[in-house]
Amino acid sequence: MGDLLSRLWEEHMREPFPPHMRGREIDGEDMVLLDADMAGCVLSSLSGPLDAKRHRILLIRLAAVEKVLPSIEDEDGAIEYHERLREMAAVAVELGNTKAR
């Protein structure tokens, strides 16, 4: 799973944040902040298990991206970008759950 997360992270880093999403809020979620929070937690998980605070943040932000995905317009590859973000977060959460057992 760690290899999958590394590959997804590399793909994510090659793609710019969708320009039309800057300054946007969807269902009460600031899209730039959502991206930054999730990416920061995923990056931390690449270095080792997440601490309890980051794990909790990632779970909350994962639920948020699930909530907003249906409302994202597919301009500038925004849907694919946020689906990959969701997948990375889910893998990072699973890695954390696996390491905690």
Side-chain angles (χ1 to χ4, degrees):
M1 267 215 177
D3 291 341
L4 173 59
L5 186 58
S6 293
R7 182 181 57 77
L8 289 168
W9 179 255
E10 288 172 15
E11 288 174 16
H12 189 71
M13 292 308 296
R14 286 192 297 265
E15 297 296 324
F17 185 79
H20 81 282
M21 299 299 281
R22 293 188 203 291
R24 293 263 326 266
E25 192 173 289
I26 298 176
D27 291 334
E29 297 294 337
D30 178 300
M31 298 308 291
V32 171
L33 185 58
L34 179 64
D35 176 66
D37 286 350
M38 293 180 79
C41 290
V42 168
L43 182 59
S44 291
S45 75
L46 287 168
S47 301
L50 292 175
D51 59 30
K53 179 182 176 184
R54 284 188 179 93
H55 189 262
R56 188 173 49 256
I57 289 168
L58 194 54
L59 287 172
I60 291 166
R61 303 315 268 158
L62 183 55
V65 81
E66 290 284 350
K67 176 179 73 169
V68 301
L69 259 172
S71 301
I72 293 176
E73 300 153 8
D74 197 20
E75 182 181 328
D76 305 323
I79 292 175
E80 182 179 348
Y81 182 93
H82 286 89
E83 285 176 342
R84 184 176 44 251
L85 192 62
R86 174 186 62 190
E87 185 177 4
M88 285 190 307
V91 170
V93 165
E94 183 59 31
L95 278 171
N97 290 341
T98 300
K99 290 176 184 173
R101 290 181 192 150

